[in-house]
PDB file of all heavy atoms in Angstrom:
ATOM      1  N   SER A   2      -1.588  12.429  -4.753  1.00  0.00           N
ATOM      2  CA  SER A   2      -2.187  13.179  -5.872  1.00  0.00           C
ATOM      3  C   SER A   2      -1.187  14.098  -6.555  1.00  0.00           C
ATOM      4  O   SER A   2      -1.428  14.555  -7.676  1.00  0.00           O
ATOM      5  CB  SER A   2      -3.377  14.000  -5.364  1.00  0.00           C
ATOM      6  OG  SER A   2      -2.947  15.059  -4.518  1.00  0.00           O
ATOM      7  N   ARG A   3      -0.057  14.366  -5.901  1.00  0.00           N
ATOM      8  CA  ARG A   3       0.951  15.252  -6.488  1.00  0.00           C
ATOM      9  C   ARG A   3       1.892  14.501  -7.424  1.00  0.00           C
ATOM     10  O   ARG A   3       2.753  15.104  -8.065  1.00  0.00           O
ATOM     11  CB  ARG A   3       1.734  15.943  -5.370  1.00  0.00           C
ATOM     12  CG  ARG A   3       0.817  16.765  -4.472  1.00  0.00           C
ATOM     13  CD  ARG A   3       1.528  17.368  -3.296  1.00  0.00           C
ATOM     14  NE  ARG A   3       2.528  18.352  -3.685  1.00  0.00           N
ATOM     15  CZ  ARG A   3       3.198  19.118  -2.843  1.00  0.00           C
ATOM     16  NH1 ARG A   3       2.961  19.006  -1.537  1.00  0.00           N
ATOM     17  NH2 ARG A   3       4.089  19.974  -3.262  1.00  0.00           N
ATOM     18  N   ASP A   4       1.727  13.180  -7.512  1.00  0.00           N
ATOM     19  CA  ASP A   4       2.467  12.362  -8.478  1.00  0.00           C
ATOM     20  C   ASP A   4       3.986  12.527  -8.342  1.00  0.00           C
ATOM     21  O   ASP A   4       4.708  12.660  -9.331  1.00  0.00           O
ATOM     22  CB  ASP A   4       2.030  12.714  -9.907  1.00  0.00           C
ATOM     23  CG  ASP A   4       2.413  11.625 -10.904  1.00  0.00           C
ATOM     24  OD1 ASP A   4       2.599  10.479 -10.470  1.00  0.00           O
ATOM     25  OD2 ASP A   4       2.551  11.931 -12.100  1.00  0.00           O
ATOM     26  N   GLN A   5       4.464  12.536  -7.085  1.00  0.00           N
ATOM     27  CA  GLN A   5       5.911  12.558  -6.812  1.00  0.00           C
ATOM     28  C   GLN A   5       6.197  11.450  -5.804  1.00  0.00           C
ATOM     29  O   GLN A   5       6.600  11.701  -4.687  1.00  0.00           O
ATOM     30  CB  GLN A   5       6.335  13.913  -6.253  1.00  0.00           C
ATOM     31  CG  GLN A   5       6.087  15.088  -7.180  1.00  0.00           C
ATOM     32  CD  GLN A   5       6.474  16.412  -6.522  1.00  0.00           C
ATOM     33  OE1 GLN A   5       7.523  16.534  -5.887  1.00  0.00           O
ATOM     34  NE2 GLN A   5       5.632  17.415  -6.673  1.00  0.00           N
ATOM     35  N   LEU A   6       5.995  10.218  -6.242  1.00  0.00           N
ATOM     36  CA  LEU A   6       6.054   9.079  -5.336  1.00  0.00           C
ATOM     37  C   LEU A   6       7.446   8.911  -4.729  1.00  0.00           C
ATOM     38  O   LEU A   6       8.461   9.017  -5.413  1.00  0.00           O
ATOM     39  CB  LEU A   6       5.668   7.801  -6.077  1.00  0.00           C
ATOM     40  CG  LEU A   6       5.583   6.534  -5.219  1.00  0.00           C
ATOM     41  CD1 LEU A   6       4.485   6.670  -4.169  1.00  0.00           C
ATOM     42  CD2 LEU A   6       5.341   5.308  -6.096  1.00  0.00           C
ATOM     43  N   GLY A   7       7.470   8.655  -3.432  1.00  0.00           N
ATOM     44  CA  GLY A   7       8.695   8.362  -2.706  1.00  0.00           C
ATOM     45  C   GLY A   7       8.482   7.183  -1.789  1.00  0.00           C
ATOM     46  O   GLY A   7       7.360   6.685  -1.631  1.00  0.00           O
ATOM     47  N   GLU A   8       9.557   6.741  -1.130  1.00  0.00           N
ATOM     48  CA  GLU A   8       9.477   5.515  -0.340  1.00  0.00           C
ATOM     49  C   GLU A   8       8.515   5.630   0.842  1.00  0.00           C
ATOM     50  O   GLU A   8       7.832   4.661   1.185  1.00  0.00           O
ATOM     51  CB  GLU A   8      10.862   5.104   0.157  1.00  0.00           C
ATOM     52  CG  GLU A   8      11.547   6.105   1.067  1.00  0.00           C
ATOM     53  CD  GLU A   8      12.842   5.538   1.643  1.00  0.00           C
ATOM     54  OE1 GLU A   8      12.784   4.518   2.365  1.00  0.00           O
ATOM     55  OE2 GLU A   8      13.901   6.122   1.380  1.00  0.00           O
ATOM     56  N   PHE A   9       8.438   6.809   1.481  1.00  0.00           N
ATOM     57  CA  PHE A   9       7.554   6.930   2.641  1.00  0.00           C
ATOM     58  C   PHE A   9       6.095   6.907   2.208  1.00  0.00           C
ATOM     59  O   PHE A   9       5.240   6.358   2.916  1.00  0.00           O
ATOM     60  CB  PHE A   9       7.873   8.202   3.422  1.00  0.00           C
ATOM     61  CG  PHE A   9       9.231   8.173   4.077  1.00  0.00           C
ATOM     62  CD1 PHE A   9      10.150   9.171   3.835  1.00  0.00           C
ATOM     63  CD2 PHE A   9       9.585   7.131   4.914  1.00  0.00           C
ATOM     64  CE1 PHE A   9      11.412   9.140   4.421  1.00  0.00           C
ATOM     65  CE2 PHE A   9      10.838   7.085   5.511  1.00  0.00           C
ATOM     66  CZ  PHE A   9      11.757   8.092   5.265  1.00  0.00           C
ATOM     67  N   GLN A  10       5.792   7.484   1.064  1.00  0.00           N
ATOM     68  CA  GLN A  10       4.423   7.410   0.551  1.00  0.00           C
ATOM     69  C   GLN A  10       4.056   5.966   0.219  1.00  0.00           C
ATOM     70  O   GLN A  10       2.935   5.519   0.501  1.00  0.00           O
ATOM     71  CB  GLN A  10       4.282   8.283  -0.694  1.00  0.00           C
ATOM     72  CG  GLN A  10       4.450   9.771  -0.432  1.00  0.00           C
ATOM     73  CD  GLN A  10       4.548  10.552  -1.736  1.00  0.00           C
ATOM     74  OE1 GLN A  10       3.547  10.757  -2.417  1.00  0.00           O
ATOM     75  NE2 GLN A  10       5.750  10.990  -2.092  1.00  0.00           N
ATOM     76  N   ALA A  11       4.996   5.227  -0.394  1.00  0.00           N
ATOM     77  CA  ALA A  11       4.721   3.834  -0.729  1.00  0.00           C
ATOM     78  C   ALA A  11       4.512   2.992   0.525  1.00  0.00           C
ATOM     79  O   ALA A  11       3.591   2.160   0.587  1.00  0.00           O
ATOM     80  CB  ALA A  11       5.879   3.263  -1.562  1.00  0.00           C
ATOM     81  N   GLN A  12       5.328   3.206   1.545  1.00  0.00           N
ATOM     82  CA  GLN A  12       5.140   2.478   2.795  1.00  0.00           C
ATOM     83  C   GLN A  12       3.799   2.840   3.443  1.00  0.00           C
ATOM     84  O   GLN A  12       3.118   1.971   4.008  1.00  0.00           O
ATOM     85  CB  GLN A  12       6.277   2.796   3.768  1.00  0.00           C
ATOM     86  CG  GLN A  12       7.612   2.181   3.397  1.00  0.00           C
ATOM     87  CD  GLN A  12       8.627   2.374   4.508  1.00  0.00           C
ATOM     88  OE1 GLN A  12       8.439   1.923   5.632  1.00  0.00           O
ATOM     89  NE2 GLN A  12       9.716   3.059   4.201  1.00  0.00           N
ATOM     90  N   ALA A  13       3.454   4.112   3.379  1.00  0.00           N
ATOM     91  CA  ALA A  13       2.180   4.539   3.954  1.00  0.00           C
ATOM     92  C   ALA A  13       1.005   3.904   3.202  1.00  0.00           C
ATOM     93  O   ALA A  13      -0.016   3.559   3.808  1.00  0.00           O
ATOM     94  CB  ALA A  13       2.071   6.059   3.923  1.00  0.00           C
ATOM     95  N   ALA A  14       1.135   3.747   1.891  1.00  0.00           N
ATOM     96  CA  ALA A  14       0.070   3.118   1.104  1.00  0.00           C
ATOM     97  C   ALA A  14      -0.132   1.670   1.549  1.00  0.00           C
ATOM     98  O   ALA A  14      -1.275   1.185   1.648  1.00  0.00           O
ATOM     99  CB  ALA A  14       0.413   3.172  -0.375  1.00  0.00           C
ATOM    100  N   ILE A  15       0.963   0.967   1.842  1.00  0.00           N
ATOM    101  CA  ILE A  15       0.853  -0.413   2.334  1.00  0.00           C
ATOM    102  C   ILE A  15       0.168  -0.425   3.698  1.00  0.00           C
ATOM    103  O   ILE A  15      -0.733  -1.237   3.951  1.00  0.00           O
ATOM    104  CB  ILE A  15       2.253  -1.052   2.412  1.00  0.00           C
ATOM    105  CG1 ILE A  15       2.829  -1.216   1.004  1.00  0.00           C
ATOM    106  CG2 ILE A  15       2.197  -2.395   3.127  1.00  0.00           C
ATOM    107  CD1 ILE A  15       4.298  -1.585   0.976  1.00  0.00           C
ATOM    108  N   ALA A  16       0.578   0.482   4.577  1.00  0.00           N
ATOM    109  CA  ALA A  16      -0.040   0.562   5.901  1.00  0.00           C
ATOM    110  C   ALA A  16      -1.527   0.896   5.791  1.00  0.00           C
ATOM    111  O   ALA A  16      -2.347   0.385   6.568  1.00  0.00           O
ATOM    112  CB  ALA A  16       0.677   1.603   6.749  1.00  0.00           C
ATOM    113  N   ALA A  17      -1.876   1.760   4.824  1.00  0.00           N
ATOM    114  CA  ALA A  17      -3.279   2.142   4.650  1.00  0.00           C
ATOM    115  C   ALA A  17      -4.123   0.955   4.195  1.00  0.00           C
ATOM    116  O   ALA A  17      -5.283   0.804   4.614  1.00  0.00           O
ATOM    117  CB  ALA A  17      -3.380   3.285   3.641  1.00  0.00           C
ATOM    118  N   LEU A  18      -3.569   0.100   3.344  1.00  0.00           N
ATOM    119  CA  LEU A  18      -4.309  -1.080   2.887  1.00  0.00           C
ATOM    120  C   LEU A  18      -4.556  -2.042   4.051  1.00  0.00           C
ATOM    121  O   LEU A  18      -5.626  -2.654   4.144  1.00  0.00           O
ATOM    122  CB  LEU A  18      -3.543  -1.781   1.766  1.00  0.00           C
ATOM    123  CG  LEU A  18      -3.569  -1.051   0.413  1.00  0.00           C
ATOM    124  CD1 LEU A  18      -2.553  -1.657  -0.542  1.00  0.00           C
ATOM    125  CD2 LEU A  18      -4.976  -1.114  -0.197  1.00  0.00           C
ATOM    126  N   HIS A  19      -3.591  -2.184   4.934  1.00  0.00           N
ATOM    127  CA  HIS A  19      -3.808  -3.006   6.128  1.00  0.00           C
ATOM    128  C   HIS A  19      -4.893  -2.385   7.009  1.00  0.00           C
ATOM    129  O   HIS A  19      -5.765  -3.088   7.523  1.00  0.00           O
ATOM    130  CB  HIS A  19      -2.510  -3.132   6.922  1.00  0.00           C
ATOM    131  CG  HIS A  19      -1.538  -4.121   6.349  1.00  0.00           C
ATOM    132  ND1 HIS A  19      -1.811  -5.468   6.240  1.00  0.00           N
ATOM    133  CD2 HIS A  19      -0.272  -3.952   5.852  1.00  0.00           C
ATOM    134  CE1 HIS A  19      -0.779  -6.086   5.705  1.00  0.00           C
ATOM    135  NE2 HIS A  19       0.171  -5.191   5.466  1.00  0.00           N
ATOM    136  N   ALA A  20      -4.825  -1.073   7.180  1.00  0.00           N
ATOM    137  CA  ALA A  20      -5.778  -0.382   8.049  1.00  0.00           C
ATOM    138  C   ALA A  20      -7.192  -0.409   7.464  1.00  0.00           C
ATOM    139  O   ALA A  20      -8.174  -0.369   8.214  1.00  0.00           O
ATOM    140  CB  ALA A  20      -5.329   1.057   8.273  1.00  0.00           C
ATOM    141  N   ASP A  21      -7.297  -0.476   6.145  1.00  0.00           N
ATOM    142  CA  ASP A  21      -8.597  -0.416   5.480  1.00  0.00           C
ATOM    143  C   ASP A  21      -9.347  -1.745   5.531  1.00  0.00           C
ATOM    144  O   ASP A  21     -10.558  -1.773   5.344  1.00  0.00           O
ATOM    145  CB  ASP A  21      -8.390   0.009   4.022  1.00  0.00           C
ATOM    146  CG  ASP A  21      -9.704   0.271   3.304  1.00  0.00           C
ATOM    147  OD1 ASP A  21     -10.501   1.081   3.805  1.00  0.00           O
ATOM    148  OD2 ASP A  21      -9.933  -0.349   2.247  1.00  0.00           O
ATOM    149  N   ALA A  22      -8.624  -2.840   5.803  1.00  0.00           N
ATOM    150  CA  ALA A  22      -9.258  -4.159   5.792  1.00  0.00           C
ATOM    151  C   ALA A  22     -10.050  -4.391   7.080  1.00  0.00           C
ATOM    152  O   ALA A  22      -9.489  -4.301   8.174  1.00  0.00           O
ATOM    153  CB  ALA A  22      -8.200  -5.247   5.639  1.00  0.00           C
ATOM    154  N   PRO A  23     -11.353  -4.682   6.986  1.00  0.00           N
ATOM    155  CA  PRO A  23     -12.153  -4.926   8.201  1.00  0.00           C
ATOM    156  C   PRO A  23     -11.639  -6.121   8.997  1.00  0.00           C
ATOM    157  O   PRO A  23     -11.708  -6.137  10.224  1.00  0.00           O
ATOM    158  CB  PRO A  23     -13.563  -5.185   7.658  1.00  0.00           C
ATOM    159  CG  PRO A  23     -13.565  -4.574   6.284  1.00  0.00           C
ATOM    160  CD  PRO A  23     -12.166  -4.736   5.766  1.00  0.00           C
ATOM    161  N   THR A  24     -11.125  -7.141   8.289  1.00  0.00           N
ATOM    162  CA  THR A  24     -10.538  -8.317   8.933  1.00  0.00           C
ATOM    163  C   THR A  24      -9.254  -8.663   8.203  1.00  0.00           C
ATOM    164  O   THR A  24      -9.017  -8.224   7.073  1.00  0.00           O
ATOM    165  CB  THR A  24     -11.489  -9.526   8.874  1.00  0.00           C
ATOM    166  OG1 THR A  24     -11.648  -9.927   7.507  1.00  0.00           O
ATOM    167  CG2 THR A  24     -12.846  -9.203   9.470  1.00  0.00           C
ATOM    168  N   ALA A  25      -8.425  -9.502   8.853  1.00  0.00           N
ATOM    169  CA  ALA A  25      -7.171  -9.910   8.219  1.00  0.00           C
ATOM    170  C   ALA A  25      -7.439 -10.666   6.920  1.00  0.00           C
ATOM    171  O   ALA A  25      -6.697 -10.515   5.933  1.00  0.00           O
ATOM    172  CB  ALA A  25      -6.367 -10.785   9.184  1.00  0.00           C
ATOM    173  N   ALA A  26      -8.509 -11.459   6.902  1.00  0.00           N
ATOM    174  CA  ALA A  26      -8.825 -12.248   5.714  1.00  0.00           C
ATOM    175  C   ALA A  26      -9.214 -11.381   4.524  1.00  0.00           C
ATOM    176  O   ALA A  26      -9.099 -11.814   3.365  1.00  0.00           O
ATOM    177  CB  ALA A  26      -9.942 -13.232   6.028  1.00  0.00           C
ATOM    178  N   GLU A  27      -9.694 -10.162   4.787  1.00  0.00           N
ATOM    179  CA  GLU A  27     -10.134  -9.275   3.708  1.00  0.00           C
ATOM    180  C   GLU A  27      -9.038  -8.322   3.229  1.00  0.00           C
ATOM    181  O   GLU A  27      -9.293  -7.418   2.440  1.00  0.00           O
ATOM    182  CB  GLU A  27     -11.346  -8.469   4.177  1.00  0.00           C
ATOM    183  CG  GLU A  27     -12.562  -9.317   4.499  1.00  0.00           C
ATOM    184  CD  GLU A  27     -13.698  -8.503   5.102  1.00  0.00           C
ATOM    185  OE1 GLU A  27     -14.490  -7.928   4.331  1.00  0.00           O
ATOM    186  OE2 GLU A  27     -13.776  -8.447   6.347  1.00  0.00           O
ATOM    187  N   THR A  28      -7.813  -8.516   3.682  1.00  0.00           N
ATOM    188  CA  THR A  28      -6.704  -7.663   3.268  1.00  0.00           C
ATOM    189  C   THR A  28      -6.440  -7.828   1.775  1.00  0.00           C
ATOM    190  O   THR A  28      -6.414  -8.952   1.259  1.00  0.00           O
ATOM    191  CB  THR A  28      -5.425  -8.030   4.054  1.00  0.00           C
ATOM    192  OG1 THR A  28      -5.690  -7.917   5.455  1.00  0.00           O
ATOM    193  CG2 THR A  28      -4.282  -7.105   3.675  1.00  0.00           C
ATOM    194  N   ASP A  29      -6.251  -6.712   1.089  1.00  0.00           N
ATOM    195  CA  ASP A  29      -5.986  -6.735  -0.363  1.00  0.00           C
ATOM    196  C   ASP A  29      -4.491  -6.995  -0.592  1.00  0.00           C
ATOM    197  O   ASP A  29      -3.716  -6.093  -0.879  1.00  0.00           O
ATOM    198  CB  ASP A  29      -6.405  -5.395  -0.986  1.00  0.00           C
ATOM    199  CG  ASP A  29      -6.372  -5.427  -2.510  1.00  0.00           C
ATOM    200  OD1 ASP A  29      -5.796  -6.369  -3.076  1.00  0.00           O
ATOM    201  OD2 ASP A  29      -6.914  -4.486  -3.132  1.00  0.00           O
ATOM    202  N   TRP A  30      -4.113  -8.269  -0.479  1.00  0.00           N
ATOM    203  CA  TRP A  30      -2.702  -8.615  -0.586  1.00  0.00           C
ATOM    204  C   TRP A  30      -2.147  -8.412  -1.988  1.00  0.00           C
ATOM    205  O   TRP A  30      -0.960  -8.104  -2.159  1.00  0.00           O
ATOM    206  CB  TRP A  30      -2.493 -10.067  -0.153  1.00  0.00           C
ATOM    207  CG  TRP A  30      -2.592 -10.246   1.327  1.00  0.00           C
ATOM    208  CD1 TRP A  30      -3.607 -10.830   2.031  1.00  0.00           C
ATOM    209  CD2 TRP A  30      -1.632  -9.826   2.297  1.00  0.00           C
ATOM    210  NE1 TRP A  30      -3.357 -10.799   3.376  1.00  0.00           N
ATOM    211  CE2 TRP A  30      -2.140 -10.194   3.577  1.00  0.00           C
ATOM    212  CE3 TRP A  30      -0.402  -9.180   2.227  1.00  0.00           C
ATOM    213  CZ2 TRP A  30      -1.445  -9.936   4.749  1.00  0.00           C
ATOM    214  CZ3 TRP A  30       0.289  -8.928   3.395  1.00  0.00           C
ATOM    215  CH2 TRP A  30      -0.225  -9.300   4.637  1.00  0.00           C
ATOM    216  N   VAL A  31      -2.987  -8.562  -2.996  1.00  0.00           N
ATOM    217  CA  VAL A  31      -2.518  -8.358  -4.373  1.00  0.00           C
ATOM    218  C   VAL A  31      -2.045  -6.920  -4.555  1.00  0.00           C
ATOM    219  O   VAL A  31      -0.961  -6.668  -5.114  1.00  0.00           O
ATOM    220  CB  VAL A  31      -3.631  -8.698  -5.381  1.00  0.00           C
ATOM    221  CG1 VAL A  31      -3.201  -8.312  -6.804  1.00  0.00           C
ATOM    222  CG2 VAL A  31      -3.970 -10.186  -5.319  1.00  0.00           C
ATOM    223  N   GLN A  32      -2.841  -5.966  -4.077  1.00  0.00           N
ATOM    224  CA  GLN A  32      -2.438  -4.566  -4.189  1.00  0.00           C
ATOM    225  C   GLN A  32      -1.224  -4.256  -3.310  1.00  0.00           C
ATOM    226  O   GLN A  32      -0.369  -3.444  -3.676  1.00  0.00           O
ATOM    227  CB  GLN A  32      -3.609  -3.647  -3.824  1.00  0.00           C
ATOM    228  CG  GLN A  32      -3.367  -2.203  -4.236  1.00  0.00           C
ATOM    229  CD  GLN A  32      -4.586  -1.310  -4.058  1.00  0.00           C
ATOM    230  OE1 GLN A  32      -4.487  -0.093  -4.174  1.00  0.00           O
ATOM    231  NE2 GLN A  32      -5.734  -1.898  -3.767  1.00  0.00           N
ATOM    232  N   ILE A  33      -1.130  -4.915  -2.161  1.00  0.00           N
ATOM    233  CA  ILE A  33       0.027  -4.718  -1.289  1.00  0.00           C
ATOM    234  C   ILE A  33       1.299  -5.182  -1.989  1.00  0.00           C
ATOM    235  O   ILE A  33       2.340  -4.520  -1.908  1.00  0.00           O
ATOM    236  CB  ILE A  33      -0.178  -5.457   0.055  1.00  0.00           C
ATOM    237  CG1 ILE A  33      -1.215  -4.704   0.901  1.00  0.00           C
ATOM    238  CG2 ILE A  33       1.138  -5.576   0.818  1.00  0.00           C
ATOM    239  CD1 ILE A  33      -1.575  -5.394   2.200  1.00  0.00           C
ATOM    240  N   VAL A  34       1.224  -6.316  -2.690  1.00  0.00           N
ATOM    241  CA  VAL A  34       2.395  -6.785  -3.449  1.00  0.00           C
ATOM    242  C   VAL A  34       2.792  -5.751  -4.505  1.00  0.00           C
ATOM    243  O   VAL A  34       3.992  -5.471  -4.707  1.00  0.00           O
ATOM    244  CB  VAL A  34       2.098  -8.144  -4.119  1.00  0.00           C
ATOM    245  CG1 VAL A  34       3.236  -8.524  -5.084  1.00  0.00           C
ATOM    246  CG2 VAL A  34       1.936  -9.233  -3.068  1.00  0.00           C
ATOM    247  N   GLU A  35       1.817  -5.153  -5.148  1.00  0.00           N
ATOM    248  CA  GLU A  35       2.121  -4.135  -6.162  1.00  0.00           C
ATOM    249  C   GLU A  35       2.833  -2.939  -5.541  1.00  0.00           C
ATOM    250  O   GLU A  35       3.772  -2.375  -6.124  1.00  0.00           O
ATOM    251  CB  GLU A  35       0.823  -3.693  -6.852  1.00  0.00           C
ATOM    252  CG  GLU A  35       0.185  -4.788  -7.699  1.00  0.00           C
ATOM    253  CD  GLU A  35      -1.165  -4.382  -8.258  1.00  0.00           C
ATOM    254  OE1 GLU A  35      -1.635  -3.258  -7.906  1.00  0.00           O
ATOM    255  OE2 GLU A  35      -1.757  -5.163  -9.034  1.00  0.00           O
ATOM    256  N   TRP A  36       2.402  -2.543  -4.346  1.00  0.00           N
ATOM    257  CA  TRP A  36       3.072  -1.426  -3.672  1.00  0.00           C
ATOM    258  C   TRP A  36       4.472  -1.811  -3.227  1.00  0.00           C
ATOM    259  O   TRP A  36       5.400  -0.980  -3.269  1.00  0.00           O
ATOM    260  CB  TRP A  36       2.245  -0.942  -2.481  1.00  0.00           C
ATOM    261  CG  TRP A  36       1.188   0.046  -2.867  1.00  0.00           C
ATOM    262  CD1 TRP A  36      -0.163  -0.137  -2.871  1.00  0.00           C
ATOM    263  CD2 TRP A  36       1.400   1.382  -3.336  1.00  0.00           C
ATOM    264  NE1 TRP A  36      -0.810   0.990  -3.302  1.00  0.00           N
ATOM    265  CE2 TRP A  36       0.130   1.951  -3.597  1.00  0.00           C
ATOM    266  CE3 TRP A  36       2.534   2.152  -3.566  1.00  0.00           C
ATOM    267  CZ2 TRP A  36      -0.034   3.249  -4.062  1.00  0.00           C
ATOM    268  CZ3 TRP A  36       2.365   3.460  -4.032  1.00  0.00           C
ATOM    269  CH2 TRP A  36       1.101   3.984  -4.276  1.00  0.00           C
ATOM    270  N   TYR A  37       4.652  -3.071  -2.822  1.00  0.00           N
ATOM    271  CA  TYR A  37       6.017  -3.513  -2.486  1.00  0.00           C
ATOM    272  C   TYR A  37       6.912  -3.496  -3.718  1.00  0.00           C
ATOM    273  O   TYR A  37       8.109  -3.191  -3.619  1.00  0.00           O
ATOM    274  CB  TYR A  37       5.989  -4.907  -1.860  1.00  0.00           C
ATOM    275  CG  TYR A  37       5.849  -4.883  -0.357  1.00  0.00           C
ATOM    276  CD1 TYR A  37       4.768  -5.498   0.271  1.00  0.00           C
ATOM    277  CD2 TYR A  37       6.798  -4.252   0.442  1.00  0.00           C
ATOM    278  CE1 TYR A  37       4.637  -5.474   1.654  1.00  0.00           C
ATOM    279  CE2 TYR A  37       6.670  -4.226   1.826  1.00  0.00           C
ATOM    280  CZ  TYR A  37       5.590  -4.831   2.415  1.00  0.00           C
ATOM    281  OH  TYR A  37       5.466  -4.790   3.775  1.00  0.00           O
ATOM    282  N   ASP A  38       6.355  -3.819  -4.870  1.00  0.00           N
ATOM    283  CA  ASP A  38       7.132  -3.734  -6.108  1.00  0.00           C
ATOM    284  C   ASP A  38       7.581  -2.294  -6.358  1.00  0.00           C
ATOM    285  O   ASP A  38       8.732  -2.043  -6.755  1.00  0.00           O
ATOM    286  CB  ASP A  38       6.307  -4.242  -7.295  1.00  0.00           C
ATOM    287  CG  ASP A  38       6.103  -5.746  -7.249  1.00  0.00           C
ATOM    288  OD1 ASP A  38       6.893  -6.435  -6.565  1.00  0.00           O
ATOM    289  OD2 ASP A  38       5.146  -6.241  -7.878  1.00  0.00           O
ATOM    290  N   GLU A  39       6.673  -1.338  -6.131  1.00  0.00           N
ATOM    291  CA  GLU A  39       7.037   0.079  -6.285  1.00  0.00           C
ATOM    292  C   GLU A  39       8.117   0.465  -5.271  1.00  0.00           C
ATOM    293  O   GLU A  39       9.079   1.167  -5.597  1.00  0.00           O
ATOM    294  CB  GLU A  39       5.793   0.956  -6.075  1.00  0.00           C
ATOM    295  CG  GLU A  39       4.789   0.926  -7.206  1.00  0.00           C
ATOM    296  CD  GLU A  39       5.286   1.680  -8.428  1.00  0.00           C
ATOM    297  OE1 GLU A  39       6.285   2.429  -8.322  1.00  0.00           O
ATOM    298  OE2 GLU A  39       4.685   1.525  -9.499  1.00  0.00           O
TER     299      GLU A  39
END
C-alpha cells in the first residue's frame, strides 16, 4: 500500500498467491506471471 515496490515484496506477492489457492489447480498462474514480470 506504500507504493514502493521492491524485489522482496514482489517475491512475497508470488508466495501469497500460491498460499491463497485452495488447491494447486486453482492457482492464479496468470497473476503470478505478471508478478514475475515485475
Side-chain angles (χ1 to χ4, degrees):
S2 69
R3 301 175 65 173
D4 198 23
Q5 299 177 44
L6 184 63
E8 61 173 298
F9 293 125
Q10 294 170 75
Q12 288 188 60
I15 293 169
L18 287 168
H19 282 297
D21 187 55
T24 66
E27 297 174 86
T28 303
D29 189 347
W30 286 107
V31 173
Q32 194 172 170
I33 287 176
V34 171
E35 293 174 356
W36 275 110
Y37 270 120
D38 289 339
E39 287 287 347

